[in-house]
């Protein structure tokens, strides 16, 4: 992974057999939009442009790109031809997210796929030049891996990557970076940080201390479950109850980015206190993934979709160097690594939970009363998903509490109470996600139980928006 603006000399140091130019939030018409080194186009190796990468290729090689033909979400590729689509048949679903499109192709290029709204959804040109307007790298392009595999065939690329190899590489990299130093690991009990705890324990043993912070924003009974599970794994774990500290800092705050920043600042305070008590430490380790980096504008040309307390921005006064072994990995890759390391299945398949916890699932101010409403509603929803065999069929499920009250009637009396939003999505990489088609009977059961059992709620709705244009979380 390199910035798309990297100079040719830096790229050639890696002896590439092919190049992929990724998508991005910019438009090729914007001043200062990222540009690849123009000498790339004359390289004697295949190049695949994805979304913005395709638009840039078309523009740089003499074609025409225009704004206005926007496509977001699911589309169907038709009239497939060319080397990228060998073995795919006549049509296949894909995932779109773009506002610009190619309207005239460079000399020697032909369209190899179209959608109902876009006649140039994929192109192929001389010297192994390919472009796709959709995103083959995401889960919701079902044959995307086959398309990328066909590109690797064109490149003559080696296929030696395995999960076992990447584990050994990560352990080697940790040894190289840490040396004889000590590591403080911030752990949430979810898949990413738990897997990282096992990896670091295997690499460094007792030189790793995992600190679990109960910030009072966890799901019901989660703190006790995390402490028990990680203790059984042999992790050197220290649990800190900081709920009062976090809730006091969040009092009256409604802006979601401000909530994230406050929680991040409080986490750092806790780690500073624990480091002083348990230290000295040389590194702070975190389970940051590549989607976190991208959505926090941590890559060149990336847009800031949301801030994460565990991505960048750590104050210099912390005194630690940052250790993020999973920074270039996706969720599905970490789950495979977890299997190799022996992480218990109940943690390995636990749904993701954001670092700021329920604070960003409460739209508006966080109070103990609103936390209690959301916590109880979320518990009921997840419990029903497990009972009905749907928990592992969806990638993430959650409840959201809105700052909206509506009129209802309960026990022949008028009510004016809160609204709960239920959300469940399917994905592997969390860069895109589609809403889960849960059975109506399951949703009806969840709505009935939440309204009946959770005091202060009289309305339940289900979010059927995909990512993009929405995100999985509401804040």
């Amino acid at each position: 992974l390199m910035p798309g603006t990297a100079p040719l000399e830096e790229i050639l140091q890696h002896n590439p057999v092919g190049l992929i130019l990724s998508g991005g939030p910019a438009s090729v018409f914007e001043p200062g939009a990222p540009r690849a080194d123009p000498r790339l186009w004359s390289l004697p190796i295949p190049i695949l442009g994805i979304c913005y990468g395709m638009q840039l290729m078309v523009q740089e090689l003499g074609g025409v790109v225009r704004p206005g033909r926007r496509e977001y979400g699911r589309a169907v590729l038709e009239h497939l031809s060319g080397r990228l689509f060998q073995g795919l048949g006549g049509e296949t679903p894909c995932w779109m997210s773009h506002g610009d499109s190619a309207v005239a192709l460079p000399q020697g290029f032909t369209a190899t796929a179209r959608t109902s709204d876009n006649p140039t959804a994929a192109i192929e040109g001389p010297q192994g030049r390919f472009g796709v307007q959709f995103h083959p790298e995401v889960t919701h392009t079902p044959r995307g891996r086959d398309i990328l595999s066909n590109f690797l065939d064109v490149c003559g690329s080696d296929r030696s990557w395995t999960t076992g190899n990447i584990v050994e590489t990560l352990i080697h990299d940790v040894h190289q970076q840490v040396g004889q130093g000590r590591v403080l690991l911030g752990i949430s009990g979810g898949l990413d940080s738990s897997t990282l705890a096992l990896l670091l324990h295997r690499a460094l043993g007792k030189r790793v201390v995992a600190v679990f912070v109960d910030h009072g924003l966890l799901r019901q009974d989660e703190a006790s479950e995390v402490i028990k599970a990680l203790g059984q794994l042999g992790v050197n774990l220290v649990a800190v109850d900081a709920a009062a500290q976090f809730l006091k800092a969040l009092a009256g705050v409604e802006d979601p980015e401000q909530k994230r920043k406050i929680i991040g600042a409080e986490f750092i305070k806790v780690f500073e206190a624990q480091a002083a008590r348990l230290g000295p430490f040389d590194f702070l380790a975190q389970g940051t993934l590549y989607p976190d980096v991208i959505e926090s504008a941590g890559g060149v040309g990336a847009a800031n979709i949301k801030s994460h307390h565990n991505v960048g921005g750590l104050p210099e006064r912390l005194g630690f160097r940052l250790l993020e072994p999973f920074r270039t990995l996706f969720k599905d890759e970490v789950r495979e690594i977890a299997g190799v390391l022996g992480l218990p299945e109940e943690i390995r398949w636990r749904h993701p939970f954001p670092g700021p916890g329920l604070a960003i699932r409460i739209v508006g101010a966080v109070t103990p009363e609103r936390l209690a409403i959301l916590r109880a509603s979320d518990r009921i929803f997840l419990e029903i998903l497990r009972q009905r065999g749907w928990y592992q069929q969806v990638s993430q499920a959650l409840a959201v509490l809105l700052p909206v009250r509506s009129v209802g009637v309960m026990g022949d009396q008028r009510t004016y109470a809160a609204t709960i939003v239920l959300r469940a999505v399917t994905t592997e990489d969390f860069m895109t996600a589609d809403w889960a088609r849960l059975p109506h009977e399951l949703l009806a059961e969840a709505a009935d139980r939440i309204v009946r059992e959770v005091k202060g709620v009289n309305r339940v709705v289900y979010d059927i928006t995909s990512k993009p244009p929405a995100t999985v979380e509401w804040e």
Side-chain angles (χ1 to χ4, degrees):
L1 294 170
M2 302 180 66
T5 54
L8 180 63
E9 292 79 8
E10 186 176 340
I11 293 171
L12 292 179
Q13 290 177 7
H14 299 277
N15 299 314
V17 295
L19 295 176
I20 297 177
L21 301 177
S22 76
S27 167
V28 293
F29 306 109
E30 293 175 1
R35 292 274 190 266
D37 189 318
R39 296 172 293 173
L40 258 72
W41 309 114
S42 60
L43 286 177
I45 59 174
I47 299 177
L48 169 62
I50 295 175
C51 197
Y52 179 88
M54 168 178 157
Q55 295 159 14
L56 181 64
M57 177 185 294
V58 169
Q59 186 180 72
E60 294 289 293
L61 296 181
V64 178
V65 177
R66 295 241 175 98
R69 188 179 284 134
R70 304 172 64 188
E71 291 180 292
Y72 295 101
R74 187 181 186 275
V76 177
L77 294 174
E78 304 169 344
H79 305 294
L80 306 181
S81 62
R83 288 176 286 179
L84 283 186
F85 300 104
Q86 287 182 359
L88 268 68
E91 62 179 41
T92 186
C94 69
W95 206 257
M96 293 282 192
S97 183
H98 69 98
D100 298 340
S101 297
V103 297
L105 300 182
Q107 185 176 0
F109 279 74
T110 58
T112 56
R114 61 175 298 156
T115 68
S116 59
D117 294 321
N118 191 339
T120 56
I123 60 175
E124 182 174 335
Q127 297 181 303
R129 303 297 182 253
F130 302 89
V132 293
Q133 188 58 77
F134 60 94
H135 289 269
E137 76 279 13
V138 303
T139 307
H140 292 97
T141 299
R143 302 298 298 276
R145 292 187 180 184
D146 296 323
I147 294 168
L148 293 173
S149 180
N150 285 338
F151 179 68
L152 295 183
D153 287 340
V154 174
C155 297
S157 178
D158 181 36
R159 308 292 185 97
S160 60
W161 189 96
T162 67
T163 308
N165 286 346
I166 203 69
V167 168
E168 295 308 314
T169 299
L170 290 173
I171 290 175
H172 174 269
D173 291 346
V174 167
H175 277 297
Q176 290 291 106
Q177 188 172 352
V178 174
Q180 295 302 310
R182 295 184 74 227
V183 177
L184 178 65
L185 167 63
I187 198 163
S188 67
L191 170 68
D192 307 329
S193 60
S194 298
T195 304
L196 182 56
L198 288 183
L199 180 84
L200 294 178
H201 180 71
R202 178 177 292 188
L204 305 172
K206 293 297 183 180
R207 288 189 286 134
V208 180
V209 178
V211 174
F212 169 66
V213 178
D214 180 0
H215 49 26
L217 306 168
L218 298 171
R219 292 171 287 202
Q220 188 159 316
D221 300 324
E222 193 158 32
S224 58
E225 292 171 0
V226 167
I227 293 169
K228 179 180 177 181
L230 293 178
Q232 291 174 344
L233 291 171
V235 174
N236 187 11
L237 180 67
V238 174
V240 181
D241 183 357
Q245 175 181 335
F246 279 81
L247 291 178
K248 180 180 179 181
L250 288 168
V253 178
E254 297 186 1
D255 180 75
E257 287 301 288
Q258 189 64 21
K259 285 193 282 189
R260 288 177 181 271
K261 289 175 182 176
I262 288 171
I263 291 169
E266 295 304 314
F267 262 102
I268 291 168
K269 290 178 184 177
V270 172
F271 282 125
E272 285 181 325
Q274 293 303 312
R277 185 175 73 87
L278 302 167
F281 292 98
D282 304 286
F283 292 87
L284 173 64
Q286 297 185 140
T288 307
L289 304 187
Y290 199 50
D292 299 334
V293 176
I294 295 171
E295 294 187 343
S296 300
V300 175
N304 185 14
I305 298 171
K306 58 190 176 185
S307 63
H308 295 256
H309 75 270
N310 63 328
V311 180
L314 292 171
E316 291 183 4
R317 75 171 192 273
L318 196 60
F320 303 143
R321 284 170 283 175
L322 198 56
L323 181 65
E324 297 176 316
F326 297 160
R327 191 179 176 87
T328 60
L329 300 178
F330 289 83
K331 180 73 70 174
D332 56 321
E333 294 174 307
V334 173
R335 185 167 281 118
E336 291 298 317
I337 290 170
V340 171
L341 293 172
L343 190 70
E345 291 297 289
E346 61 269 21
I347 298 180
R348 186 178 173 218
W349 290 102
R350 178 178 287 171
H351 287 181
F353 190 62
L358 297 179
I360 59 169
R361 294 179 179 175
I362 293 176
V363 181
V366 178
T367 67
E369 295 76 19
R370 300 189 79 202
L371 273 169
I373 290 173
L374 179 58
R375 194 172 277 128
S377 302
D378 185 79
R379 175 190 60 79
I380 291 170
F381 186 35
L382 297 184
E383 181 180 289
I384 292 172
L385 288 173
R386 289 189 178 96
Q387 290 173 347
R388 301 291 174 259
W390 273 89
Y391 185 81
Q392 287 196 20
Q393 295 187 57
V394 300
S395 306
Q396 188 169 356
L398 57 131
V400 177
L401 176 60
L402 298 185
V404 173
R405 292 195 296 166
S406 63
V407 174
V409 56
M410 299 173 71
D412 294 329
Q413 293 185 352
R414 180 182 183 275
T415 63
Y416 193 53
T419 299
I420 288 288
V421 179
L422 303 181
R423 181 148 171 77
V425 299
T426 59
T427 182
E428 286 186 12
D429 51 30
F430 285 87
M431 292 301 296
T432 62
D434 200 9
W435 63 277
R437 272 63 169 176
L438 297 178
H440 291 176
E441 295 79 8
L442 187 154
L443 292 171
E445 181 183 2
D448 178 67
R449 282 193 55 191
I450 289 171
V451 171
R452 181 161 36 91
E453 298 176 26
V454 183
K455 186 178 180 180
V457 176
N458 69 355
R459 193 176 299 271
V460 177
V461 299
Y462 187 54
D463 182 352
I464 59 169
T465 317
S466 300
K467 176 186 179 180
T471 57
V472 176
E473 300 288 347
W474 270 55
E475 287 196 339

